Amino acid sequence: MAKGKAESVSELVSPLPRYLEIQRDLQARIASGQWIPGSRVPAEHELQAQYHCSRMTVNKALSALAKAGLIIRRRRSGSFVAMPRSQETILNIQDIKAEILAKGKAYRFEILTRQERAMTTDDALQLRVTPGGRVLALSVRHFANEHPFVVEDRLMNLAIVPAAREERFVVSPPGTWLLDVVPWTNAEHVIQAELADQRIATLLGIPKKSACLAIERRTWQGDATITWVRLTYPGDRHQLTSHFRPGGPLIP
Amino acid sequence: MAKGKAESVSELVSPLPRYLEIQRDLQARIASGQWIPGSRVPAEHELQAQYHCSRMTVNKALSALAKAGLIIRRRRSGSFVAMPRSQETILNIQDIKAEILAKGKAYRFEILTRQERAMTTDDALQLRVTPGGRVLALSVRHFANEHPFVVEDRLMNLAIVPAAREERFVVSPPGTWLLDVVPWTNAEHVIQAELADQRIATLLGIPKKSACLAIERRTWQGDATITWVRLTYPGDRHQLTSHFRPGGPLIP
DNA sequence: TCGGTTAATTTGTCTATACATAATAGGCGA
DNA sequence: TCGCCTATTATGTATAGACAAATTAACCGA
């Protein structure tokens, strides 16, 4: 078997790489419950014989399943179907401009306040850095089809993003601008429910003390905090949704 | 170079596989901004020469980066540093029992209501199935250190989980029990903010019309809905947090 | 100049082989 | 019987070579 590819005619009807075929097949058996959690997966050399391919191909499929958490592999012992994991979900918190445009709505934003200042104690706390240096504080209101969509309160660390000092944020809002300008390596999200205070109520055009969804995000580049932002959405009009397939996007 | 492994003595001080070394190295260059988004990554044969290894090893590193979304690969064109992605975050919505125990608090739950019934139109809507069959409707209150923590309203599709009919949920709450009993393949989450109604306020021991964080989850096995659940947390006492490294857990 | 054909490049997949590593099972001696 | 050594097994990593597929670049004729 010195050929590069499969010899079967089925290749013509299924242009799927061999390792993916195997991967899906095994995944289906796990998902269907045919192989229950804890049970043993055939060894590589067995699958190699079953699927009529080399061990490396089988290994690629099994490694992917292991990385996705569907199976657990131990040397000498073998591979085993993993227990169902804790319910992880991938939340896609998009850039606001993209989010609104994706809904087919007209997007507009306005800068409410803009202040460059020496970092206050509160600022340092929010950014989780030692005080010192300067920050840019911004408040922005985003509109979808001319309706208030979300209020954004942001702090930018000018030590990391000095270019922001000159930026007027005319074409792109601060969040979008930052994504384009600064590479980030780490982010943290906190999601909370809270009541609208007077300012938020006015800005969003909702009654005072109605429910709001607040998303706070801190973004780092290495150890340095780039920005802190708080997004306040009307709770009844906005919701975060997400789908999850265990094993991740194995079948894209 | 017909040997299986590296020949350098550095192997002794760095027990890191070759492909991971390369992967991390490239990742560092991307994260640091040394290679800006859009710029070209050296071709496989170049890296192969640079790192003094085979193309397969380089390929493994690059493929992993591509799968993680850090680079984009196109045949004939080459590999390019990807633009910063939309802000995805991995939300770890744990099993409630595990969540409370992880905080070092005592866990207790009580079944408030339990009703087995023919599926109503509303039930079918929540479960997103065509009406027919029977469901088990449950309301549960979970306590952390004897303080009300969350209210759970659940529908279980008895067509998929007939065993639930006999289950009294004495040792494990329904959510934990389900995780142990039924393999699931798909889940959907919706997160919302809303005001506490009279029932929720009483059950959670909070004022009426205070902010609550509501998480709804639908869980499937293949095409069949297993369960629908709505978790209502006090908004000021609970928050969802998550960290994110672009490229996922490449450096575990 | 335009348009299509051909060649070159780069990634994608696969094979066969080799040695390393971890962990278990079994045997053997004290 | 206990503890140690050894053989076995399964996975982990790595290599060299091969062909496939998809683009892009170059070329060439009308």
Side-chain angles (χ1 to χ4, degrees):
Chain A
M1 207 193 289
K3 275 278 297 302
K5 262 264 172 113
E7 317 86 341
S8 73
V9 278
S10 71
E11 189 186 353
L12 296 172
V13 282
S14 83
L16 207 62
R18 214 53 183 281
Y19 75 94
L20 258 186
E21 221 174 280
I22 300 172
Q23 190 176 310
R24 288 197 185 191
D25 200 14
L26 300 179
Q27 198 188 0
R29 293 195 219 193
I30 294 171
S32 69
Q34 184 182 341
W35 290 349
I36 62 168
S39 65
R40 181 167 184 171
V41 176
E44 293 189 352
H45 71 269
E46 295 180 73
L47 292 172
Q48 166 187 353
Q50 264 184 51
Y51 289 101
H52 227 260
C53 63
S54 80
R55 188 169 81 89
M56 278 302 288
T57 305
V58 170
N59 182 280
K60 192 167 181 179
L62 287 175
S63 297
L65 290 176
K67 194 180 169 191
L70 281 187
I71 64 175
I72 292 172
R73 314 195 74 194
R74 281 201 315 266
R75 276 171 173 156
R76 160 75 210 205
S77 305
S79 305
F80 301 87
V81 177
M83 293 302 191
R85 293 190 302 172
S86 62
Q87 302 241 10
E88 281 186 342
T89 190
I90 293 169
L91 202 58
N92 200 339
I93 300 184
Q94 292 186 10
D95 171 60
I96 295 168
K97 183 177 176 181
E99 184 182 354
I100 292 176
L101 290 176
K103 287 181 182 174
K105 296 184 177 176
Y107 174 70
R108 182 171 74 82
F109 72 97
E110 61 181 14
I111 306 282
L112 301 169
T113 68
R114 178 204 171 100
Q115 187 192 20
E116 187 191 329
R117 62 177 180 236
M119 194 182 287
T120 68
T121 315
D122 278 351
D123 294 343
L125 253 167
Q126 299 283 36
L127 289 172
R128 296 226 194 113
V129 295
T130 50
R134 298 183 71 77
V135 296
L136 182 65
L138 290 160
S139 288
V140 187
R141 182 157 57 155
H142 303 261
F143 295 85
N145 278 355
E146 294 302 324
H147 291 292
F149 183 75
V150 58
V151 172
E152 167 183 351
D153 296 296
R154 184 183 290 271
L155 289 175
M156 292 168 81
N157 189 350
L158 287 175
I160 310 297
V161 206
R165 187 177 285 153
E166 314 300 333
E167 178 64 34
R168 292 296 107 180
F169 305 112
V170 178
V171 284
S172 292
T176 309
W177 180 84
L178 265 176
L179 270 182
D180 289 341
V181 169
V182 190
W184 54 278
T185 62
N186 212 327
E188 179 191 289
H189 291 86
V190 176
I191 299 165
Q192 263 182 302
E194 55 177 40
L195 298 179
D197 59 19
Q198 187 57 61
R199 168 174 170 265
I200 292 293
T202 308
L203 288 174
L204 289 178
I206 57 177
K208 199 178 164 184
K209 294 199 177 177
S210 53
C212 289
L213 198 61
I215 301 174
E216 287 189 30
R217 173 166 57 223
R218 249 172 287 265
T219 311
W220 287 271
Q221 186 187 43
D223 291 332
T225 314
I226 301 171
T227 187
W228 168 86
V229 65
R230 179 190 185 83
L231 304 169
T232 311
Y233 295 84
D236 54 342
R237 264 185 267 157
H238 191 75
Q239 56 188 25
L240 298 165
T241 63
S242 65
H243 292 263
F244 178 66
R245 253 196 316 257
L250 286 180
I251 306 182
Chain B
M1 209 192 290
K3 274 279 295 303
K5 261 256 172 127
E7 317 86 343
S8 72
V9 277
S10 72
E11 188 186 351
L12 295 173
V13 283
S14 82
L16 206 63
R18 213 58 183 277
Y19 76 94
L20 259 185
E21 222 173 279
I22 300 173
Q23 191 177 309
R24 287 195 186 192
D25 199 16
L26 300 179
Q27 198 189 359
R29 292 196 218 193
I30 293 171
S32 70
Q34 185 182 339
W35 289 349
I36 60 169
S39 65
R40 182 170 181 169
V41 175
E44 292 190 353
H45 69 268
E46 294 179 74
L47 292 173
Q48 166 187 354
Q50 263 184 52
Y51 289 99
H52 226 260
C53 63
S54 79
R55 187 168 82 90
M56 277 301 287
T57 305
V58 170
N59 183 281
K60 192 167 179 180
L62 287 174
S63 296
L65 291 176
K67 194 180 169 192
L70 281 187
I71 63 175
I72 292 172
R73 314 194 73 195
R74 281 201 313 267
R75 274 171 176 158
R76 159 73 207 195
S77 304
S79 305
F80 300 87
V81 177
M83 291 303 188
R85 293 189 302 173
S86 62
Q87 302 242 12
E88 280 188 342
T89 191
I90 293 170
L91 203 58
N92 200 339
I93 300 184
Q94 293 187 8
D95 171 58
I96 294 168
K97 183 178 178 181
E99 185 182 355
I100 292 176
L101 291 177
K103 287 181 181 174
K105 297 183 176 176
Y107 173 70
R108 183 171 74 81
F109 73 96
E110 61 180 14
I111 306 282
L112 301 170
T113 67
R114 176 204 171 100
Q115 188 192 21
E116 188 192 329
R117 61 175 180 237
M119 194 182 288
T120 68
T121 315
D122 278 351
D123 295 343
L125 253 167
Q126 299 284 36
L127 290 172
R128 296 226 193 112
V129 296
T130 49
R134 298 184 72 76
V135 296
L136 182 65
L138 290 158
S139 288
V140 187
R141 182 157 57 155
H142 303 262
F143 296 85
N145 278 354
E146 296 302 326
H147 291 292
F149 183 75
V150 59
V151 172
E152 167 183 351
D153 296 296
R154 183 182 291 270
L155 290 176
M156 291 168 84
N157 190 350
L158 288 175
I160 312 296
V161 207
R165 185 176 288 153
E166 314 301 332
E167 178 63 33
R168 293 294 109 181
F169 305 112
V170 178
V171 284
S172 292
T176 309
W177 180 84
L178 265 177
L179 268 182
D180 289 341
V181 170
V182 191
W184 52 277
T185 62
N186 212 325
E188 179 192 289
H189 290 85
V190 176
I191 300 165
Q192 264 181 303
E194 55 176 40
L195 299 180
D197 57 20
Q198 186 59 58
R199 169 174 169 265
I200 292 293
T202 307
L203 288 174
L204 289 177
I206 57 177
K208 198 177 164 184
K209 292 201 178 176
S210 53
C212 289
L213 197 62
I215 301 174
E216 287 189 30
R217 173 167 55 225
R218 249 171 286 263
T219 310
W220 287 270
Q221 186 187 43
D223 292 332
T225 313
I226 301 171
T227 187
W228 167 88
V229 64
R230 178 190 187 84
L231 304 169
T232 310
Y233 295 85
D236 54 342
R237 266 185 268 158
H238 191 76
Q239 56 189 24
L240 298 165
T241 63
S242 66
H243 293 263
F244 178 66
R245 255 195 315 258
L250 286 181
I251 305 181

